[in-house]
Amino acid sequence: MAKSGSDEQLAQRFDEEIDALHRFAWSLSRDAETAQDLTQETCLRAWRSRATRDQGRDAKPWLYRIMKNLWLDMLRERQRTPELVEFDEATTPTSGAPLTPPLSTVEDRAAFESELDDEVLAAINDLHADEQVVIMMQSMTDLRYGEIAAALECPVGTVMSRLHRSKTKLRQRLTHYARQVGILRSDSPEPTAPTDNQKASS
Amino acid sequence: MNPMKCDDVNRLSEAFLDNEIDEVTSLRIQHHLESCPTCRSTLEETRLLETSLRRIKDRAPPAPAELRRAITSDRKIVQPTPFEFRRLMTTFAPIAALIAFGFFWLSHDSSAVLASQDYVQAHRQFKVAGTSAELQSNDPTALAQWWSENSPKAPPVPESPPQGFVLQGARLNNAEGQSFASIEYRQNDGEDRVSLFWTPSDFADMDQFPVITAENENTVRCGPAGTCSVASWRGNGGVFIAVGNFPDAAIVDFANRSL
């Protein structure tokens, strides 16, 4: 059966987005196998339901919405059945890793950056699942705020406030870490925690 | 131009760095930053975070070639699912479905001849959707008891796992209106896992798989399917299907040790 024009466009979208989708999946799960499963299942579900998709809208946010929902379902399922075996443990960074020595003694900048990145990943692990999704959707893909809003089905202002709230938490954690390793003085100001009623809009 | 307050600059700092705000607001933020060391410091911290996130993005792996091939393959074989049917499938919890419709397993329908891709697809869907009942146990007796209570025709549980593998438990999964029962193993010294299915009916594409090795009058056939490897062999009056996330050679090794 010949593929329709919209099918070909969707297939092309898959090909264009597959790397970014996989990176997004990996960033959420930190597990190679789960990332592949999530990516493949996302594409499979999208392909199955292509007939019911709004053809007038870009497929890109829709793909990320499917993946986000799959991931949150997976997390909910894991929380709902804690007594069951987890065959596919995610490999998460070690948050209790020994701290690096003060920066003045660190000669290998790459190693320091790697530790800093691990600290960021550990901090992301401590965020709420919705916050992790918005952070990773913005950081691991090329989605603009408007596209993230479409994927999350919320206003752009909500995306901005969620990003601000999540990144402030990460920044607080990083600042604390930076003090521990000696790249920030202990009397430097703490980042300001956002309040729940703060709404970002320009 | 109205001066901007520190709270506003702080609130918009991420959007500012992401070039997601309008030009006028951006100019007002820049104007504020010129005279506010506190906000400059905060912005630098945010920039440090953004730089770290970009490095993490660079570390994140792109889609492997086999995943691309699998997705292309899915596109060729999968037809659109009618909306109402899809909604029903996702609404029904697997266990509720099992109770409502009775335990339906492949063995109940001898005409159900599935292909390796069906098992691989089910294997993946169970993990992603979590639509499964699982029992964690390394005790074959406990697993056999669980099978007898939940699925009248399930894969026989060997008294001891294949050499080099650890018994992890059992799964009863529901996907696409089919229920699949599997025994779960993990490698002793690795992270690789394998799900062992069994069906009394024939296995659609078994004969298409190349014969890798033959021992004990059994024929082990192996073929890649999607992102997993599949081996199948005849036994217990039916066909065993092993789906693993490791290379063909390893799944054949598992099969040989299971014979």
Side-chain angles (χ1 to χ4, degrees), chain A residues 18-19 22 33 37 40 47-48 84-85 87-89 117 138 142 144-145 164 167 171 201, chain B residues 10 14 18-20 50 52 55 57 61 63 68 71 74 80-81 121 124 127 134 171 186 193:
Chain A
I18 181 128
D19 282 338
H22 186 263
E33 190 191 357
D37 290 338
Q40 190 172 2
W47 193 248
R48 276 215 184 94
L84 297 177
V85 64
F87 290 117
D88 309 304
E89 295 93 339
D117 297 346
Q138 190 263 324
D142 296 323
R144 305 292 295 175
Y145 284 12
H164 175 63
K167 288 189 177 179
R171 202 154 45 78
S201 63
Chain B
N10 184 29
E14 292 82 15
D18 293 335
N19 293 318
E20 289 276 4
E50 299 285 357
S52 172
R55 280 196 304 268
K57 179 184 178 184
R68 288 177 176 277
I71 289 172
D74 283 347
T81 307
Q121 190 169 308
R124 190 180 62 244
K127 289 191 298 175
E134 299 172 333
R171 275 181 177 170
R186 183 190 290 273
R193 295 169 287 272

Side-chain angles (χ1 to χ4, degrees), chain B residues 34 57 64 84 91 110 124 139 151 171 176 194 209 229 239 256:
Chain B
E34 286 170 8
K57 179 184 178 184
E84 285 303 318
T91 303
S110 59
R124 190 180 62 244
D139 177 5
S151 183
R171 275 181 177 170
E176 305 290 320
V194 58
F209 287 175
S229 291
V239 178
N256 279 325

